[in-house]
Amino acid sequence: MSIEDLESVALAMVAPGKGIIAIDESTNTIKKRFESVGIENTEENRRAYRELLLTTPNLSEHISGAILYDETIRQSTKDGVPFTQIMKKNGIIPGIKVDKGTVPLAGFPGDVITEGLDGLRERLAEYVKLGAQFAKWRAVINISEDNPSSTAIEANTQALARYAALCQEAGLVPMVEPEVIMDGDHSIEVSYEVHEAVLRSLFNALYEQNVLLEGTILKVSMVIPGKDADEQVDVEEVAEATVRVLKTTVPATLPGIVFLSGGQTDEQSTAHLNAMNRMGPHPWPLSFSYGRAMQQAALKLWSKDLKTNVAEAQKVVHARAKDNGLAALGQWKG
Ligand code: 13P
């Protein structure tokens, strides 16, 4: 893939009014999501659920791409059509999660590091053959009295940059995801400071590793107080702080920024994105790459009857995509 191809895929991922649906839960994570609504975590249930999501009628009106998990990118519809084929036919760009999750960072209690660089070049080559056009790697940054250490920030952003360079070598657009976790009782000011340090470190690392920013997408958390913080803040404050930290750290050459939902409610995730876009124009499109905030309502509905509730659940997926697509334009009315 040429540089122009990387750039054009990156731009298509953040086309006006469109965002990404993240359905890249590992087998362990989807188990937790299924268990919360009483669905058995079998391979067939996972396949059927991802088919429901990916074949939602007219999904591409508001969705540009979907992030898959290793098992999912190898699966097919019940009629035997590979998921990546049906996605491309329906105008949805296939993406793939390529990190192998987090482990404790030795020597730094409370900090974690994402694994998955060993053998990544070969895995990326296989994913390209399977039809992927972009890839995602998630770094996790925890906040507490003692976290994150600067060592954790640097180790994680270095891994993100090495992964991003390997992606571009393979012809995949890297979606670099540093997630600052919402758990804890920290204030919005602390969230801001951590985001600022992480994003500065990330863009330094991407520069050091010769990553082409024009062919890279940033997926990031919002600047928000910890879930257990005494003082919660309004939508405008989250939007203002998030836009401010992005403007001070993210180069304007980046084609786009998408957000994760990270445990926000559906309504919050849409309202925050909408408020940010109403403050525009910004140097880059601001859109969504939500997992839970795109899926949780549909999953709940589907869980009530896996056979008969497919079309109704798809309507809910489409409605969430529409709301978030409008929020990506600052046109959501609530
Ligand atoms: P949530 O929107 O549920 O946080 O998931 C997005 C994602 O891909 C996290 O890596």
Side-chain angles (χ1 to χ4, degrees):
M1 214 201 243
S2 67
I3 288 173
E4 290 75 26
D5 289 337
L6 282 175
E7 289 183 23
S8 74
V9 170
L11 287 170
M13 287 164 68
V14 289
K18 292 194 189 189
I20 309 273
I21 181 167
I23 62 166
D24 59 328
E25 301 86 1
S26 65
T27 305
N28 219 15
T29 301
I30 199 74
K31 178 171 182 270
K32 287 186 222 151
R33 307 269 187 269
F34 277 4
E35 270 172 7
S36 73
V37 290
I39 300 173
E40 204 189 337
N41 188 27
T42 62
E43 184 178 347
E44 175 49 25
N45 282 346
R46 293 193 295 274
R47 192 208 61 73
Y49 178 55
R50 268 64 181 255
E51 175 169 352
L52 177 161
L53 296 170
L54 292 171
T55 59
T56 294
N58 304 316
L59 191 62
S60 67
E61 285 171 0
H62 312 287
I63 295 290
S64 57
I67 317 172
L68 310 177
Y69 180 60
D70 181 75
E71 176 185 81
T72 321
I73 200 171
R74 302 167 194 283
Q75 287 176 326
S76 303
T77 65
K78 64 177 179 322
D79 299 330
V81 184
F83 282 158
T84 49
Q85 211 170 304
I86 207 124
M87 289 167 76
K88 287 189 183 174
K89 186 170 149 272
N90 292 342
I92 307 284
I93 305 168
I96 178 77
K97 168 195 175 76
V98 302
D99 67 72
K100 293 201 159 179
T102 62
V103 293
L105 182 65
F108 294 88
D111 286 329
V112 294
I113 180 77
T114 301
E115 296 197 316
L117 287 172
D118 287 359
L120 183 57
R121 179 176 271 130
E122 293 72 26
R123 289 199 290 127
L124 294 180
E126 190 196 5
Y127 289 137
V128 168
K129 280 204 194 111
L130 288 166
Q133 291 180 273
F134 71 97
K136 187 196 97 168
W137 177 288
R138 173 172 174 258
V140 171
I141 304 291
N142 291 321
I143 299 185
S144 77
E145 286 275 293
D146 303 317
N147 305 101
S149 63
S150 54
T151 305
I153 293 176
E154 275 163 37
N156 274 291
T157 59
Q158 231 247 345
L160 274 165
R162 286 191 56 204
Y163 131 87
L166 282 162
C167 281
Q168 292 187 337
E169 179 191 89
L172 291 163
V173 171
M175 176 186 268
V176 292
E177 180 185 14
E179 175 173 2
V180 177
I181 300 293
M182 274 169 66
D183 294 343
D185 60 4
H186 52 273
S187 64
I188 189 168
E189 288 81 14
V190 168
S191 175
Y192 184 97
E193 280 167 23
V194 172
H195 276 87
E196 184 175 21
V198 169
L199 290 169
R200 275 203 202 299
S201 172
L202 174 62
F203 284 95
N204 279 338
L206 292 172
Y207 176 72
E208 291 288 333
Q209 302 283 338
N210 279 340
V211 173
L212 180 82
L213 292 188
E214 290 86 342
T216 302
I217 295 288
L218 172 67
K219 170 163 177 167
V220 71
S221 36
M222 297 181 197
V223 176
I224 199 165
K227 272 187 221 151
D228 303 324
D230 291 336
E231 199 186 333
Q232 292 299 326
V233 302
D234 63 22
V235 169
E236 296 301 313
E237 203 171 327
V238 171
E240 186 277 325
T242 305
V243 165
R244 188 153 45 93
V245 85
L246 293 173
K247 281 193 175 159
T248 62
T249 56
V250 182
T253 43
L254 203 80
I257 301 173
V258 292
F259 295 97
L260 56 97
S261 57
Q264 297 181 40
T265 64
D266 292 3
E267 169 103 11
Q268 279 173 329
S269 68
T270 305
H272 287 145
L273 180 62
N274 193 55
M276 283 188 257
N277 279 305
R278 285 176 60 90
M279 291 169 185
H282 303 302
W284 353 251
L286 298 180
S287 189
F288 61 96
S289 173
Y290 295 154
R292 282 163 286 180
M294 271 297 305
Q295 298 179 48
Q296 55 207 1
L299 179 62
K300 205 167 169 191
L301 186 58
W302 185 58
S303 73
K304 302 215 171 91
D305 193 325
L306 307 195
K307 288 257 167 344
T308 60
N309 275 5
V310 172
E312 285 304 309
Q314 288 178 326
K315 278 188 200 147
V316 175
V317 175
H318 189 270
R320 289 297 299 137
K322 185 175 179 190
D323 279 354
N324 290 320
L326 286 169
L329 298 169
Q331 292 171 5
W332 180 65
K333 299 283 182 261

Coordinates of all heavy atoms in Angstrom, one line a residue, residues 6 28 37 49 69 71 105 107 116 120 161 183 185-186 216 240 271 314 316 320 323 329:
L6 N -2.6 4.8 2.4 CA -2.8 4.9 3.9 C -3.6 6.1 4.2 O -4.5 6.1 5.1 CB -1.4 5.0 4.6 CG -0.6 3.7 4.7 CD1 0.8 4.1 5.3 CD2 -1.3 2.7 5.6
N28 N -12.4 -13.3 26.4 CA -12.6 -13.1 27.9 C -13.5 -11.9 28.1 O -14.4 -11.9 29.0 CB -11.2 -12.9 28.5 CG -11.2 -13.5 29.8 OD1 -12.0 -14.4 30.2 ND2 -10.2 -13.1 30.6
V37 N -25.7 -10.2 30.7 CA -27.1 -10.2 30.2 C -27.6 -11.7 30.0 O -28.6 -12.0 29.4 CB -27.3 -9.5 28.8 CG1 -27.2 -8.0 29.1 CG2 -26.3 -10.0 27.8
Y49 N -23.6 -13.0 17.2 CA -23.7 -11.7 17.7 C -22.9 -10.7 16.8 O -23.4 -9.6 16.4 CB -23.2 -11.6 19.1 CG -23.2 -10.2 19.7 CD1 -24.3 -9.4 19.7 CD2 -22.0 -9.6 20.2 CE1 -24.4 -8.1 20.2 CE2 -22.0 -8.3 20.7 CZ -23.2 -7.6 20.7 OH -23.2 -6.3 21.2
Y69 N -11.9 -8.8 16.3 CA -10.9 -9.5 17.1 C -10.4 -10.7 16.2 O -11.0 -11.1 15.3 CB -11.7 -10.0 18.4 CG -10.8 -10.9 19.3 CD1 -9.6 -10.3 19.9 CD2 -11.1 -12.2 19.6 CE1 -8.8 -11.0 20.7 CE2 -10.3 -12.9 20.4 CZ -9.2 -12.3 21.0 OH -8.4 -13.1 21.8
E71 N -10.4 -13.9 16.4 CA -11.4 -14.9 16.1 C -12.4 -14.5 15.1 O -12.8 -15.2 14.1 CB -12.2 -15.4 17.4 CG -13.2 -16.4 17.1 CD -14.0 -16.7 18.4 OE1 -15.0 -16.0 18.7 OE2 -13.7 -17.7 19.0
L105 N 3.3 -3.9 34.9 CA 4.6 -3.5 34.5 C 5.5 -3.8 35.7 O 5.3 -3.2 36.8 CB 4.6 -2.0 34.2 CG 5.9 -1.3 33.8 CD1 6.4 -1.9 32.5 CD2 5.7 0.2 33.7
G107 N 8.0 -3.7 38.5 CA 8.7 -2.6 39.3 C 7.8 -1.4 39.5 O 8.3 -0.5 40.2
G116 N 2.5 -7.8 22.8 CA 2.1 -8.2 21.5 C 3.0 -7.7 20.4 O 2.7 -8.0 19.2
L120 N 4.8 -9.6 15.6 CA 3.7 -8.7 15.1 C 3.8 -8.6 13.6 O 2.8 -8.6 12.9 CB 3.7 -7.4 15.8 CG 2.6 -6.4 15.4 CD1 1.2 -7.0 15.6 CD2 2.7 -5.1 16.1
A161 N 4.2 3.3 19.3 CA 4.9 3.8 18.2 C 5.6 2.7 17.4 O 5.6 2.7 16.1 CB 5.9 4.8 18.6
D183 N -11.6 4.8 36.1 CA -11.8 4.3 37.5 C -11.0 5.2 38.4 O -9.8 5.5 38.1 CB -11.3 2.8 37.6 CG -12.1 1.9 36.8 OD1 -13.3 2.3 36.4 OD2 -11.7 0.8 36.5
D185 N -11.0 8.2 42.0 CA -11.7 9.3 42.5 C -10.9 10.6 42.1 O -11.1 11.7 42.7 CB -11.9 9.2 44.0 CG -10.6 9.1 44.7 OD1 -9.5 9.2 44.1 OD2 -10.6 9.0 46.0
H186 N -10.1 10.6 41.0 CA -9.3 11.7 40.6 C -10.2 12.8 40.0 O -11.3 12.6 39.5 CB -8.2 11.3 39.6 CG -8.8 10.5 38.5 ND1 -8.9 9.2 38.5 CD2 -9.2 10.9 37.2 CE1 -9.4 8.7 37.4 NE2 -9.6 9.8 36.6
T216 N -2.2 7.9 10.2 CA -2.4 7.4 11.5 C -3.7 8.0 12.1 O -4.0 9.2 11.8 CB -1.3 7.9 12.4 OG1 0.0 7.4 11.9 CG2 -1.4 7.4 13.9
E240 N -14.8 20.9 26.8 CA -13.8 22.0 26.7 C -12.4 21.5 27.1 O -11.4 21.8 26.4 CB -14.3 23.2 27.6 CG -13.4 24.4 27.6 CD -12.2 24.3 28.5 OE1 -12.3 23.7 29.5 OE2 -11.2 24.8 28.0
A271 N -23.4 12.9 24.0 CA -23.5 14.4 24.4 C -22.1 15.0 24.4 O -21.9 16.1 23.9 CB -24.2 14.5 25.8
Q314 N -30.8 -4.9 15.7 CA -30.1 -4.1 14.7 C -30.7 -2.7 14.5 O -29.9 -1.8 14.3 CB -30.3 -4.9 13.3 CG -29.4 -6.1 13.3 CD -29.6 -6.9 12.0 OE1 -30.6 -6.9 11.4 NE2 -28.5 -7.5 11.5
V316 N -31.6 -0.9 17.0 CA -31.0 -0.2 18.1 C -29.6 0.2 17.7 O -29.1 1.3 18.0 CB -31.1 -1.0 19.4 CG1 -30.3 -0.3 20.5 CG2 -32.5 -1.2 19.8
R320 N -28.1 4.0 17.5 CA -26.9 4.5 18.2 C -25.9 5.1 17.2 O -25.2 6.1 17.5 CB -26.2 3.4 19.0 CG -27.0 3.0 20.3 CD -27.2 4.1 21.3 NE -25.9 4.6 21.8 CZ -25.6 5.9 21.9 NH1 -26.4 6.8 21.6 NH2 -24.4 6.2 22.4
D323 N -27.2 8.5 16.1 CA -27.0 9.6 17.1 C -25.5 10.0 17.2 O -25.2 11.2 17.2 CB -27.4 9.1 18.5 CG -28.9 9.1 18.7 OD1 -29.6 9.7 17.8 OD2 -29.4 8.6 19.7
L329 N -20.9 15.5 13.9 CA -21.1 16.7 13.1 C -21.6 17.9 14.0 O -21.8 19.0 13.5 CB -22.2 16.5 12.0 CG -21.9 15.5 11.0 CD1 -23.2 15.2 10.2 CD2 -20.8 15.9 10.1

